[in-house]
Amino acid sequence: MYTTLISAQDLAAHIDDPRWVVVDCRHDLMSPAAGRDGYAAGHLPGAVFGDIETELSGAKRGPDGVFRGRHPLPEKEALIETLRAWGVDDDTQVVAYDAHGGMFAARLWWLLRWLGHEAVAVLDGGMAAWQAIGKPLTTELIAKPRGGIELRAPFVPTVTVAEVMDNVDKGERIVIDARASDRFRGENETIDPVGGHIPGARNRFFKDNLQADGRFKDAAALREEFAQLVEDPARAIMQCGSGVTACHNLLALEVAGMPGAALYPGSWSEWVGDGKNDTGRPVAKGEA
């Protein structure tokens, strides 16, 4: 069972295994159709496509009409149905990949753990690693038999915006922001209507988890670096712009042997809102 990362070589040995499901999670935050277009142009053999916008996220507004962020969590029942359509059973090994160092694949990794499915891993190095060992891409689409995965108790915790707001005053937990440092400081914000960060948060750009070749750093290096930010992962809250790249930091913590941190799914986009109404939540700018 692979539960964090899998190498291209190990995936290649199982690429035709009917008990495995491979999911292409490519995406572009500024061009939502780019991932599906890339999948159509060429993907790993047998892979299905997982759409960040429609399948791996839920409605941007709750039943009360309040904005929940750009990529709020999907309803668990809807996600289970998506996974069944992909052929996922309770004993299926799922492998997620992208072309962005795991930036989007880590979202599916976290979501499956949220559903209580342990056998899920991210292809270390993504498509580049697959092609680097001479393995092909294909445009062929393969229909898989419907799966029967069932919902189980989650392996991962979450926190609400109310809990994060309460923590601003109490400071009992460490908030770690996965966005680039300029966006954290409130500079060059082009996605959300307000720049800055949650007061008291610390910055760990998700790309700092990677080596130059796009693969994750080893466990010892990740452990040493994260230890400078948080002593007890169980007291840490991971966030980013919309709850996607925060999952990359959560995966890195798992690789480092430091499990237990929570995800704030709404993240910065929920914190500041969609620009139509002032949320009234405090905003900090500059360095941590």
Side-chain angles (χ1 to χ4, degrees):
M1 183 191 299
Y2 295 85
T3 60
T4 53
L5 300 172
I6 184 171
S7 70
Q9 292 88 344
D10 286 346
L11 176 57
H14 294 276
I15 197 67
D16 296 320
D17 191 327
R19 298 168 299 175
W20 288 47
V21 170
V22 180
V23 186
D24 187 319
C25 298
R26 280 178 286 175
H27 187 61
D28 185 331
L29 292 173
M30 306 308 292
S31 179
R36 193 175 291 277
D37 290 345
Y39 173 80
H43 53 265
L44 270 63
V48 297
F49 182 71
D51 194 312
I52 291 287
E53 295 290 336
T54 61
E55 294 169 317
L56 306 185
S57 299
K60 291 180 173 59
R61 294 187 183 277
D64 55 3
V66 175
F67 184 66
R68 301 192 302 153
R70 289 183 281 106
H71 298 103
L73 297 181
E75 294 297 324
K76 286 189 173 183
E77 293 76 10
L79 183 55
I80 284 286
E81 282 302 309
T82 295
L83 294 166
R84 289 172 177 167
W86 291 345
V88 179
D89 285 308
D90 287 329
D91 61 351
T92 297
Q93 174 68 62
V94 179
V95 177
Y97 76 88
D98 58 32
H100 320 281
M103 175 180 183
F104 301 109
R107 167 76 165 206
L108 179 57
W109 170 83
W110 186 90
L111 285 173
L112 275 159
R113 291 176 59 77
W114 180 56
L115 297 178
H117 189 85
E118 189 175 11
V120 55
V122 168
L123 174 58
D124 199 11
M127 286 185 64
W130 178 259
Q131 293 178 286
I133 63 170
K135 295 300 178 180
L137 301 179
T138 181
T139 58
E140 183 179 4
L141 303 180
I142 298 177
K144 294 182 178 290
R146 181 175 172 81
I149 184 174
E150 296 289 344
L151 181 63
R152 288 180 165 77
F155 294 118
V156 290
T158 59
V159 294
T160 65
V161 64
E163 289 174 297
V164 179
M165 185 67 184
D166 185 57
N167 188 68
V168 170
D169 296 325
K170 295 181 178 178
E172 295 174 345
R173 305 175 75 173
I174 302 299
V175 177
I176 299 178
D177 190 324
R179 294 176 300 159
S181 58
D182 58 339
R183 290 185 65 203
F184 178 85
R185 293 192 300 268
E187 304 164 2
N188 306 317
E189 181 58 67
T190 60
I191 301 178
D192 294 305
V194 178
H197 60 266
I198 296 170
R202 302 175 183 182
N203 189 209
R204 167 71 179 189
F205 187 27
F206 78 93
K207 288 187 178 180
D208 290 341
N209 299 324
L210 303 174
Q211 304 175 86
D213 63 0
R215 292 183 298 134
F216 275 71
K217 295 174 180 175
D218 64 33
L222 289 170
R223 189 160 50 246
E224 180 180 356
E225 292 173 12
F226 272 101
Q228 298 175 30
L229 294 171
V230 57
E231 293 182 6
D232 180 7
R235 293 183 54 249
I237 296 170
M238 298 291 146
Q239 54 99 181
C240 55
S242 63
V244 174
T245 59
C247 296
H248 200 279
N249 276 350
L250 286 161
L251 174 55
L253 281 167
E254 200 77 23
V255 171
M258 300 172 66
L263 174 68
Y264 169 30
S267 286
W268 184 249
S269 58
E270 180 185 35
W271 188 261
V272 299
D274 59 359
K276 296 180 180 179
N277 298 288
D278 184 1
T279 66
R281 299 183 187 110
V283 170
K285 293 182 183 289
E287 301 293 343

